[in-house]
Amino acid sequence: MTIRLYNTLTRNKEEFVPITPGKVGIYLCGPTVYAKAHIGHMVGPVIFDTVKRYLVYSGYQVTWVVNITDVDDKLIKKGKERGLSMAEVACENTADYLANLAGLGVDQIDHMPKATENIDEIIQFIQGLMDRDFAYAVDGDVFFDVGKDPGYGKLSNRSADSQQGEGGEAAAKKRSSGDFALWKAAKADEPSWDSPWGLGRPGWHIECSAMSRRLLGETFDIHGGGLDLIFPHHENEIAQSECCHGKPMVKYWLHNGLLRAVAAGKLGGRSQREAEQATAHEATPGEATADTKMSRSKGAGGLADQIERFGGETLRFFLLRTHYRSTVEYSEQGLEETKTGLEGFARFFERFQRITGQSFYELTPIARRADGELAGDDDPLLAEVAQRRADFAAKMDDDFNTGGAISELFELVRALNKFADQQQLEDSAARSPAALASFQRGVVTLRELTAVLGLFRTAPTSKTGGEGELVNQLMGLVVELRADARKRKDFATADRIRQVLGELGIALEDRKDGTIWRLP
Ligand SMILES: [Zn+2]
């Protein structure tokens, strides 16, 4: 088993060998929380959630950090517009971001440090750069002296001159236009912290250097982010960390493609190249993996709305079908197609339940790759399942080709369905116990592989849209009332609820993590 990944730093696909055997540290640049999240913000989190799952499955112990930028010009501006404090704006949008992560099944993050909670660490880091003469202070501002860093530009192949940096007053204080701010002197009415250089606040780039060092060390394995962050943000992170520590910051730099909204039927209006250039220009610094066009495009709406309309599972599946380094072409049509694809899985899970009496969602996924090997080459079904499993792993090992891995899942379901037809598994009188056992073992592998991608983790309970949403909410209420009755040992009421629902054809199923229901 060898995992290979494309390293932006070397522009090569390399064998993955962690710095410390068996352990992996991952840092992903998170959001600047000045506005609500949109689907473009979820590309990185969904990809790296899957990367972590796959590395854990492959036997590594993984620590994954995603920062929250909660102090920034954009937050201050937004607060002023809305008559709120910066902290209130940050708090509101962080809650929205977290809810959306949960909606898309992103639950593998170990640490989410906030910039405002790491000010001491940031000041200490800047002081380290001052002590080594890589930074200079002018009237309360502190800048990184890019001219002192001979390695500057190695990630992006760009020079410091192409960095626009701060204009106005700050620009006049800099030794060179490519220098960038590490610490910004406080202006009136702005949130600020005390520092050796006076009241002020940290620049954006230094946050990531300081927080990654605190949680992952001076050198760590994987740093991720959208490709719009390569320059200047990641180039500056490298400059800060490597000049401060005198050693490499990151072994593998992974960059995901951005998301681009494609209006249905209007694909011919703009050439691919024009559109890509627009994407690159419109990407806003500080907004990880976001194409800002997205937030303005008609129909894109709030992410919470999309999760409600299409389901978080559909969105996750949709994002994973594109290779992480490619541009995600977002369209409602694409989401509809994804939803249809997912229905094939749902029908198969229902069939599995009819045949075995077991819920697919209740099967405990095999957590480690080494534990999922299939025995019995003489069983044609299991031989095929083993082949699909090997192909799935080969695709994931090859720079996390999730789209290719998903194709193997479709093939696996096709094989299992075909086998169920041939062996008449739905006819309990006609089927053989051996065939049933093979089928069940095959489905265990399907459970294993879908769990690696973070898919089908819980049974769907919802029908989305209009009336379906009303039914959802009413059923939520009924289930809650029944749970309350049971809690106070009013079993007569609880049983009565179950009985009446049963008469209506609605099935309830009590599980460890709550009660689920199914409509007739
Ligand atoms: Zn960052």
Side-chain angles (χ1 to χ4, degrees):
M1 172 194 90
T2 304
I3 296 174
R4 294 168 64 78
L5 35 82
Y6 182 84
N7 188 352
T8 310
L9 189 62
T10 59
R11 289 155 189 87
N12 261 318
K13 226 182 245 183
E14 298 174 7
E15 183 178 337
F16 177 64
V17 183
I19 296 159
T20 307
K23 290 193 176 172
V24 182
I26 305 177
Y27 187 93
L28 175 70
C29 292
T32 301
V33 284
Y34 70 99
K36 294 222 178 320
H38 60 72
I39 179 82
H41 293 112
M42 292 292 129
V43 179
V46 166
I47 293 299
F48 285 91
D49 182 84
T50 308
V51 165
K52 176 173 171 184
R53 284 172 195 274
Y54 190 66
L55 291 174
V56 169
Y57 171 70
S58 301
Y60 294 104
Q61 193 187 322
V62 182
T63 306
W64 178 26
V65 180
V66 180
N67 68 300
I68 301 274
T69 299
D70 59 350
V71 49
D72 181 86
D73 290 337
K74 284 195 284 262
L75 277 141
I76 294 169
K77 185 166 168 255
K78 186 68 82 177
K80 281 181 183 158
E81 280 167 20
R82 297 181 54 199
L84 298 172
S85 70
M86 186 182 78
E88 285 168 325
V89 172
C91 183
E92 179 187 299
N93 292 311
T94 301
D96 173 73
Y97 185 75
L98 296 179
N100 289 318
L101 289 182
L104 268 74
V106 176
D107 62 3
Q108 299 289 305
I109 302 172
D110 298 288
H111 303 280
M112 294 192 88
K114 294 177 180 165
T116 57
E117 290 172 2
N118 287 269
I119 300 291
D120 288 348
E121 181 75 28
I122 291 169
I123 290 173
Q124 216 184 342
F125 203 110
I126 298 172
Q127 190 59 57
L129 286 168
M130 292 284 284
D131 295 346
R132 288 166 187 77
D133 204 25
F134 284 105
Y136 57 93
V138 185
D139 303 336
D141 283 313
V142 183
F143 299 100
F144 185 87
D145 192 342
V146 172
K148 295 246 170 78
D149 177 15
Y152 194 87
K154 65 181 174 185
L155 181 71
S156 60
N157 259 342
R158 285 169 69 168
S159 68
D161 301 339
S162 54
Q163 179 160 242
Q164 292 172 344
E166 298 79 12
E169 262 178 67
K173 296 181 188 174
K174 291 193 229 176
R175 288 181 190 165
S176 155
S177 66
D179 294 353
F180 55 90
L182 300 170
W183 187 260
K184 298 180 175 185
K187 297 187 188 113
D189 304 335
E190 281 186 2
S192 61
W193 290 263
D194 201 12
S195 81
W197 316 285
L199 286 176
R201 61 190 164 88
W204 172 40
H205 313 299
I206 194 70
E207 276 177 34
C208 289
S209 283
M211 296 194 280
S212 65
R213 176 175 75 177
R214 177 165 80 76
L215 293 160
L216 298 171
E218 293 178 353
T219 304
F220 56 93
D221 300 289
I222 296 175
H223 194 314
L227 52 81
D228 55 335
L229 297 183
I230 295 175
F231 188 87
H233 184 53
H234 290 164
E235 197 69 66
N236 291 354
E237 280 189 36
I238 293 178
Q240 294 161 156
S241 294
E242 302 198 348
C243 290
C244 191
H245 307 132
K247 56 173 87 155
M249 177 192 188
V250 169
K251 198 166 175 191
Y252 306 96
W253 283 89
L254 269 59
H255 289 99
N256 61 267
L258 306 183
L259 182 140
R260 186 156 58 105
V262 182
K266 288 193 179 168
L267 282 166
R270 209 181 191 194
S271 77
Q272 171 88 4
R273 203 162 142 261
E274 278 168 353
E276 273 168 12
Q277 282 171 346
T279 300
H281 287 145
E282 287 164 18
T284 310
E287 206 171 291
T289 66
D291 172 359
T292 52
K293 209 162 74 61
M294 184 63 213
S295 54
R296 295 198 297 269
S297 72
K298 195 177 161 227
L303 180 51
D305 295 344
Q306 281 164 305
I307 292 175
E308 204 176 295
R309 276 178 61 204
F310 294 99
E313 187 109 87
T314 306
L315 292 169
R316 183 180 179 104
F317 200 83
F318 174 77
L319 295 179
L320 289 177
R321 289 189 79 166
T322 302
H323 189 278
Y324 79 88
R325 286 198 281 122
S326 306
T327 301
V328 179
E329 302 281 353
Y330 174 90
S331 69
E332 299 236 329
Q333 192 191 336
L335 277 182
E336 291 293 352
E337 283 165 15
T338 302
K339 210 171 167 187
T340 308
L342 280 177
E343 277 161 16
F345 284 93
R347 279 197 299 276
F348 177 74
F349 300 154
E350 282 162 19
R351 187 177 199 191
F352 173 72
Q353 184 144 16
R354 283 199 303 277
I355 292 170
T356 64
Q358 272 179 297
S359 161
F360 176 81
Y361 300 97
E362 301 252 296
L363 298 175
T364 306
I366 293 168
R368 292 286 180 277
R369 187 167 174 172
D371 300 335
E373 299 293 339
L374 288 107
D377 287 344
D378 49 346
D379 182 319
L381 175 69
L382 294 189
E384 174 158 15
V385 172
Q387 187 58 50
R388 293 289 167 212
R389 184 176 176 276
D391 291 347
F392 175 97
K395 290 187 172 159
M396 289 299 285
D397 285 343
D398 180 15
D399 198 24
F400 308 115
N401 177 2
T402 51
I406 283 174
S407 318
E408 297 301 330
L409 298 181
F410 276 106
E411 290 302 322
L412 188 49
V413 168
R414 202 190 317 272
L416 290 163
N417 265 324
K418 192 171 152 203
F419 183 80
D421 293 340
Q422 286 169 345
Q423 300 290 326
Q424 300 177 53
L425 292 185
E426 296 205 44
D427 182 345
S428 54
R431 71 191 179 195
S432 81
L436 183 62
S438 295
F439 178 72
Q440 279 176 302
R441 181 62 190 86
V443 175
V444 166
T445 295
L446 180 65
R447 180 70 172 150
E448 170 191 348
L449 303 184
T450 54
V452 169
L453 299 181
L455 296 169
F456 312 123
R457 297 177 315 138
T458 51
T461 52
S462 61
K463 288 198 165 184
T464 51
E467 221 171 273
E469 192 46 40
L470 179 65
V471 170
N472 247 349
Q473 289 175 1
L474 289 174
M475 281 307 299
L477 175 67
V478 172
V479 165
E480 199 181 307
L481 290 174
R482 179 167 163 271
D484 286 347
R486 281 169 25 132
K487 233 180 261 167
R488 45 170 209 273
K489 302 206 186 312
D490 178 4
F491 296 113
T493 301
D495 290 346
R496 171 102 181 108
I497 290 173
R498 177 188 278 280
Q499 186 205 332
V500 173
L501 289 177
E503 286 163 9
L504 296 169
I506 300 171
L508 291 184
E509 196 182 312
D510 294 315
R511 299 178 175 185
K512 277 175 279 178
D513 53 353
T515 301
I516 64 157
W517 50 270
R518 271 189 212 88
L519 293 180

